[in-house]
């Protein structure tokens, strides 16, 4: 089983739609979780960290379910500018002083159409 | 401005001709790493460094070398490039403590003929 698995995509949605990305991870010792965004031929950039309590940033909501080893990202009222590939990322060695080993999912491509 | 720089950004070379891709960061981060990204395979870690003079293999280290003589620089060396090393390469640094945010360089697109 792959360490981090994501929806295969691509997701093609109209402007204004709500879209959800799912991600599962296999290492139950994973400690920290992130969603990154990558535009075509550009570097990945942190979109948001994911905490056990869930967190929201404007139109974006991330949730973590440790029992199911599942992470989600919800985008509400999607914009054309949201078109990108979204990468689920897991740190299997924890926060802080352990430095960490980030494992990336293969990403899910989102295309928002007018 | 906090940044990670890579050079060159684009390179076309031939099999067997040694090359170095430089990576430099101005954020004083201890942790640096190199990834390659290939269609259908996602990002895979090549090497990482937890501090000066400390380097470790990632998931796909074969055919690559790195060095970390100073904190800000982490060059990737291909002693004898082969066509299967044609890829998009990213250098990254990790800010630890709190959010463990990883910052990526702009990428180097390498083609080995």
């Amino acid at each position: 089983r792959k360490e981090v698995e994501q929806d295969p995509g691509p997701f093609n949605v109209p402007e204004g739609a709500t879209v959800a990305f799912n991600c599962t991870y296999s290492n139950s010792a994973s400690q920290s979780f992130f969603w990154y965004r990558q535009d075509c031929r550009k570097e990945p950039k942190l979109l948001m960290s994911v905490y056990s309590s869930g967190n929201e940033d404007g139109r974006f909501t991330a949730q973590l379910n440790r029992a199911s080893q599942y992470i989600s990202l919800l985008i509400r009222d999607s914009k054309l500018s949201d078109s990108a590939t979204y990468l689920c990322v897991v740190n299997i060695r924890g926060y802080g002083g352990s430095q960490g080993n980030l494992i990336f999912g293969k990403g899910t491509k989102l295309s928002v159409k007018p | 401005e906090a940044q990670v720089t890579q050079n060159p950004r684009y390179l076309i070379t031939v099999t067997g001709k040694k090359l170095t891709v430089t990576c430099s960061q101005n954020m004083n981060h201890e942790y640096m790493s190199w990834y390659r990204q290939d269609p259908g395979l996602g990002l895979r870690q090549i090497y990482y460094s937890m501090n000066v003079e400390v380097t470790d293999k990632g998931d796909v280290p074969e055919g690559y070398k790195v060095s970390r003589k100073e904190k800000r620089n982490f060059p990737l060396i291909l002693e004898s490039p082969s066509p299967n090393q044609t890829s998009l390469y990213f250098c990254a640094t990790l800010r630890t403590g709190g959010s463990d945010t990883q910052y990526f360089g702009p990428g180097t697109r390498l083609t080995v003929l």
Side-chain angles (χ1 to χ4, degrees):
Chain A
R1 180 181 173 186
K2 294 184 176 62
E3 293 200 62
V4 179
E5 292 198 69
Q6 297 185 236
D7 287 347
F11 284 23
N12 298 305
V13 303
E15 258 187 302
T18 296
V19 59
F21 300 132
N22 303 314
C23 172
T24 57
Y25 59 95
S26 60
N27 191 326
S28 60
S30 300
Q31 293 294 322
S32 50
F33 311 89
F34 311 90
W35 284 101
Y36 276 70
R37 170 193 168 127
Q38 185 175 22
D39 293 293
C40 188
R41 298 178 182 273
K42 297 286 184 69
E43 72 273 24
K45 292 184 179 178
L46 179 68
L47 178 65
M48 57 198 305
S49 302
V50 188
Y51 302 111
S52 296
S53 55
N55 46 304
E56 187 173 311
D57 182 3
R59 297 181 293 108
F60 299 83
T61 300
Q63 300 223 312
L64 166 66
N65 183 323
R66 284 188 184 272
S68 303
Q69 296 180 200
Y70 170 95
I71 308 157
S72 65
L73 176 68
L74 186 75
I75 305 176
R76 291 180 299 279
D77 188 23
S78 52
K79 313 290 185 190
L80 297 177
S81 57
D82 293 334
S83 297
T85 296
Y86 291 83
L87 305 172
C88 176
V89 184
V90 172
N91 183 336
I92 64 171
R93 293 183 195 168
Y95 287 110
S98 68
Q99 305 291 339
N101 182 16
L102 295 181
I103 307 297
F104 287 77
K106 292 181 182 179
T108 303
K109 187 174 181 180
L110 171 66
S111 182
V112 182
K113 307 290 188 185
Chain B
E1 179 191 354
Q3 60 181 351
V4 180
T5 56
Q6 292 179 228
N7 280 293
R9 295 288 315 282
Y10 303 91
L11 179 61
I12 299 174
T13 189
V14 296
T15 298
K17 186 176 180 182
K18 180 179 178 180
L19 66 92
T20 299
V21 184
T22 64
C23 173
S24 184
Q25 53 111 349
N26 64 359
M27 293 172 279
N28 203 37
H29 291 171
E30 282 87 13
Y31 185 96
M32 298 184 73
S33 62
W34 275 102
Y35 295 88
R36 61 178 289 174
Q37 187 174 36
D38 303 288
L41 296 176
L43 277 159
R44 294 179 293 168
Q45 191 178 51
I46 303 170
Y47 268 95
Y48 65 97
S49 169
M50 298 176 88
N51 215 325
V52 176
E53 301 293 358
V54 180
T55 62
D56 278 296
K57 295 178 180 178
D59 299 317
V60 288
E62 293 78 22
Y64 305 94
K65 285 173 57 177
V66 293
S67 70
R68 189 86 183 276
K69 294 187 172 65
E70 50 189 339
K71 200 178 208 179
R72 64 179 291 125
N73 296 321
F74 190 43
L76 179 69
I77 303 153
L78 284 73
E79 293 272 3
S80 183
S82 61
N84 65 11
Q85 292 178 297
T86 293
S87 188
L88 177 59
Y89 291 87
F90 290 105
C91 178
T93 74
L94 183 67
R95 180 180 74 86
T96 57
S99 66
D100 278 344
T101 303
Q102 189 153 68
Y103 297 87
F104 284 84
T108 295
R109 187 164 291 280
L110 173 65
T111 300
V112 183
L113 302 174

